[in-house]
Amino acid sequence: MLGFPAFTGHGEPGRQGHSDAATRASVESALHAVADIEAGEITVSISGSYVILEGFVRRRGDVERAIEIAEGVVGRGYVRARLLRR
Protein backbone atom coordinates (compact mmCIF):
# COMPACT_ATOMS: atom_id res chain seq x y z
CA MET A 1 0.00 0.00 0.00
CA LEU A 2 1.36 3.40 -0.97
CA GLY A 3 -0.44 5.47 1.67
CA PHE A 4 -2.90 7.22 -0.61
CA PRO A 5 -6.17 8.30 1.04
CA ALA A 6 -9.19 6.13 0.42
CA PHE A 7 -11.94 7.66 -1.70
CA THR A 8 -15.24 6.57 -0.23
CA GLY A 9 -18.16 6.26 -2.61
CA HIS A 10 -15.93 6.15 -5.67
CA GLY A 11 -17.53 2.94 -6.90
CA GLU A 12 -21.08 4.15 -6.35
CA PRO A 13 -22.88 3.92 -9.68
CA GLY A 14 -24.23 7.11 -11.17
CA ARG A 15 -22.30 9.45 -8.91
CA GLN A 16 -18.60 8.95 -9.84
CA GLY A 17 -17.59 9.72 -6.24
CA HIS A 18 -18.90 13.29 -6.21
CA SER A 19 -20.24 14.80 -3.02
CA ASP A 20 -23.97 15.37 -2.68
CA ALA A 21 -23.44 19.14 -2.84
CA ALA A 22 -21.35 18.92 -6.01
CA THR A 23 -23.84 16.58 -7.69
CA ARG A 24 -26.79 18.79 -6.72
CA ALA A 25 -24.99 21.92 -7.96
CA SER A 26 -24.10 20.25 -11.26
CA VAL A 27 -27.70 19.19 -11.91
CA GLU A 28 -29.05 22.63 -10.92
CA SER A 29 -26.56 24.34 -13.24
CA ALA A 30 -27.48 22.04 -16.11
CA LEU A 31 -31.20 22.72 -15.60
CA HIS A 32 -30.67 26.50 -15.47
CA ALA A 33 -28.36 26.47 -18.50
CA VAL A 34 -30.94 25.28 -21.00
CA ALA A 35 -33.30 27.79 -22.53
CA ASP A 36 -36.19 25.43 -23.26
CA ILE A 37 -37.15 24.73 -19.63
CA GLU A 38 -37.94 27.07 -16.74
CA ALA A 39 -35.99 25.61 -13.83
CA GLY A 40 -36.81 28.27 -11.23
CA GLU A 41 -39.45 26.12 -9.58
CA ILE A 42 -37.49 22.86 -9.61
CA THR A 43 -35.74 21.73 -6.43
CA VAL A 44 -32.89 19.24 -6.69
CA SER A 45 -32.06 16.94 -3.78
CA ILE A 46 -30.08 13.75 -3.25
CA SER A 47 -31.34 10.53 -1.70
CA GLY A 48 -28.72 7.80 -1.65
CA SER A 49 -27.60 7.23 -5.24
CA TYR A 50 -30.54 9.13 -6.71
CA VAL A 51 -31.17 12.71 -7.73
CA ILE A 52 -34.71 13.80 -6.84
CA LEU A 53 -36.41 16.55 -8.86
CA GLU A 54 -39.38 18.17 -7.14
CA GLY A 55 -41.53 21.17 -7.93
CA PHE A 56 -43.43 22.54 -10.87
CA VAL A 57 -42.98 22.88 -14.63
CA ARG A 58 -45.01 24.96 -17.06
CA ARG A 59 -45.33 22.95 -20.27
CA ARG A 60 -46.12 19.45 -21.38
CA GLY A 61 -42.90 17.57 -21.92
CA ASP A 62 -40.91 19.60 -19.38
CA VAL A 63 -40.91 16.72 -16.89
CA GLU A 64 -39.27 14.41 -19.41
CA ARG A 65 -36.88 17.16 -20.49
CA ALA A 66 -35.81 17.85 -16.87
CA ILE A 67 -35.17 14.14 -16.31
CA GLU A 68 -33.15 13.96 -19.54
CA ILE A 69 -31.00 16.92 -18.47
CA ALA A 70 -30.38 15.50 -14.98
CA GLU A 71 -29.55 12.07 -16.40
CA GLY A 72 -26.99 13.75 -18.61
CA VAL A 73 -25.18 14.71 -15.42
CA VAL A 74 -25.61 11.64 -13.18
CA GLY A 75 -26.42 8.84 -15.59
CA ARG A 76 -29.49 7.12 -16.89
CA GLY A 77 -31.70 5.55 -14.24
CA TYR A 78 -30.44 7.66 -11.31
CA VAL A 79 -33.08 10.39 -11.46
CA ARG A 80 -36.49 10.34 -9.82
CA ALA A 81 -38.99 13.09 -10.62
CA ARG A 82 -41.79 14.39 -8.47
CA LEU A 83 -42.64 17.23 -10.82
CA LEU A 84 -46.12 18.57 -11.49
CA ARG A 85 -47.28 20.64 -14.43
CA ARG A 86 -49.09 23.89 -13.64
Side-chain angles (χ1 to χ4, degrees), residues 21-51:
T23 301
R24 187 174 57 249
S26 294
V27 172
E28 287 172 346
S29 293
L31 288 169
H32 286 284
V34 296
D36 64 338
I37 190 169
E38 188 174 320
E41 294 188 68
I42 298 175
T43 302
V44 178
S45 61
I46 306 294
S47 180
S49 297
Y50 296 95
V51 169

Side-chain angles (χ1 to χ4, degrees), residues 8-69:
T8 60
H10 180 70
E12 188 175 342
R15 300 281 303 282
Q16 295 90 30
H18 296 167
S19 71
D20 288 353
T23 301
R24 187 174 57 249
S26 294
V27 172
E28 287 172 346
S29 293
L31 288 169
H32 286 284
V34 296
D36 64 338
I37 190 169
E38 188 174 320
E41 294 188 68
I42 298 175
T43 302
V44 178
S45 61
I46 306 294
S47 180
S49 297
Y50 296 95
V51 169
I52 311 297
L53 305 177
E54 296 178 294
F56 298 95
V57 295
R58 301 250 182 241
R59 296 173 298 177
R60 181 180 302 242
D62 282 354
V63 172
E64 292 81 10
R65 180 71 173 123
I67 292 169
E68 175 184 309
I69 293 165

Side-chain angles (χ1 to χ4, degrees), residues 69-82:
I69 293 165
E71 285 181 337
V73 175
V74 298
R76 189 169 176 89
Y78 291 98
V79 177
R80 300 292 182 254
R82 299 176 185 153

